[in-house]
Amino acid sequence: MSKSNKTKKIYLIGAGGHFRSIIDLIHEVNKTDQQVKILGFFDDNKDCFKGYDFKYLGIIENIKSYITEEENYFHISIGSNKLRREISKKYNVKYISLIHPRAIISDFSLIEEGTAIMGGVILNSGVKIGKHCILNTGSIVDHDCIIGSFVHVAPGVTLSGNVKVGQSSWIGTGSQVIQNIEIGSTTLIGAGSTVVKNLGSNILAYGVPCEEVGKWDESI
């Protein structure tokens, strides 16, 4: 989000665990000169997340009733890459990226719509982040990395320079990827892995060094 004193009014889609993180991110943003007002949230589970004083607006399909000409935005607060991709393609609404004020973002980086950048993230010069990604707590993306849309970079991940990650892939907690590596689309890298060679698409891989161990059915 660019800095502005104008309040951004948004709807959140999904109220599971990642929703909690997004609420905290917005709470921190609202301590700065950027203000975000949550108008309500959607979730297919009517008994979904409780504990916050935000208006439940019904199932996700109800989004269609809230598409207006006003300057309101949506953000998909769901951890699943697959669901973020499916929802974003189904509903043609204005999506907004959310950036934690304690993230360090190079002025020479690019972040596309709908992405969440959590606290402690570092994005260096020349980085390009696609649509509806999650860059989770404390992850580091070094210079000239290209991250495809719908990717989840988990907490504590380090991507060295010139790494490319295909869309809908998931880089597990604490993993490290050396420079100039390419990771395909819809691939899952297990937690704590060290990636030292290119990896293809639609695979499960983990270990030190990281090796392909099977296919991934995109179940998360």
Side-chain angles (χ1 to χ4, degrees):
M1 293 185 306
S2 60
K3 287 189 176 181
S4 170
N5 289 322
K6 185 177 179 181
T7 298
K8 302 289 188 182
K9 298 178 181 179
I10 70 170
Y11 297 100
L12 295 177
I13 305 169
H18 184 56
F19 175 81
R20 290 176 178 263
S21 296
I22 293 298
I23 294 300
D24 182 72
L25 187 163
I26 292 171
H27 177 73
E28 294 300 318
V29 166
N30 285 338
K31 294 178 181 179
T32 71
D33 63 349
Q34 305 174 58
Q35 297 295 301
V36 177
K37 180 179 180 181
I38 300 171
L39 299 176
F41 66 94
F42 306 88
D43 196 283
D44 286 346
N45 177 8
K46 68 178 182 178
D47 297 319
C48 63
F49 187 77
K50 299 177 181 179
Y52 288 109
D53 188 22
F54 301 118
K55 187 175 182 180
Y56 174 59
L57 301 172
I59 62 173
I60 292 174
E61 189 71 13
N62 288 356
I63 289 172
K64 294 177 179 178
S65 301
Y66 289 84
I67 300 173
T68 69
E69 297 300 321
E70 297 179 24
E71 286 296 315
N72 296 334
Y73 298 86
F74 292 76
H75 185 87
I76 306 173
S77 46
I78 295 174
S80 164
N81 295 345
K82 180 180 180 181
L83 289 179
R84 290 198 313 281
R85 185 179 70 243
E86 290 175 349
I87 290 168
S88 70
K89 292 182 181 298
K90 184 174 182 179
Y91 302 103
N92 184 24
V93 297
K94 292 181 292 186
Y95 292 104
I96 190 172
S97 288
L98 297 170
I99 300 173
H100 197 288
R102 288 192 291 279
I104 300 173
I105 311 296
S106 169
D107 289 339
F108 303 100
S109 62
L110 173 67
I111 301 169
E112 295 195 63
E113 68 180 22
T115 284
I117 309 291
M118 311 308 288
V121 168
I122 300 174
L123 302 186
N124 281 332
S125 182
V127 166
K128 297 180 181 179
I129 307 296
K131 299 177 181 179
H132 303 284
C133 293
I134 299 172
L135 273 71
N136 226 318
T137 309
S139 55
I140 298 172
V141 182
D142 215 331
H143 68 88
D144 300 305
C145 288
I146 299 175
I147 309 300
S149 296
F150 316 110
V151 166
H152 189 152
V153 178
V157 167
T158 298
L159 305 182
S160 298
N162 291 297
V163 168
K164 295 180 175 62
V165 181
Q167 77 164 25
S168 298
S169 287
W170 187 300
I171 313 298
T173 300
S175 293
Q176 303 175 78
V177 183
I178 69 167
Q179 66 276 8
N180 303 317
I181 291 294
E182 294 190 18
I183 296 170
S185 300
T186 323
T187 281
L188 174 62
I189 307 299
S193 296
T194 299
V195 183
V196 297
K197 65 180 181 180
N198 294 344
L199 294 169
S201 298
N202 305 109
I203 65 170
L204 169 64
Y206 62 83
V208 181
C210 187
E211 298 285 351
E212 178 181 348
V213 295
K215 299 299 180 182
W216 186 36
D217 64 3
E218 200 181 24
S219 58
I220 60 175

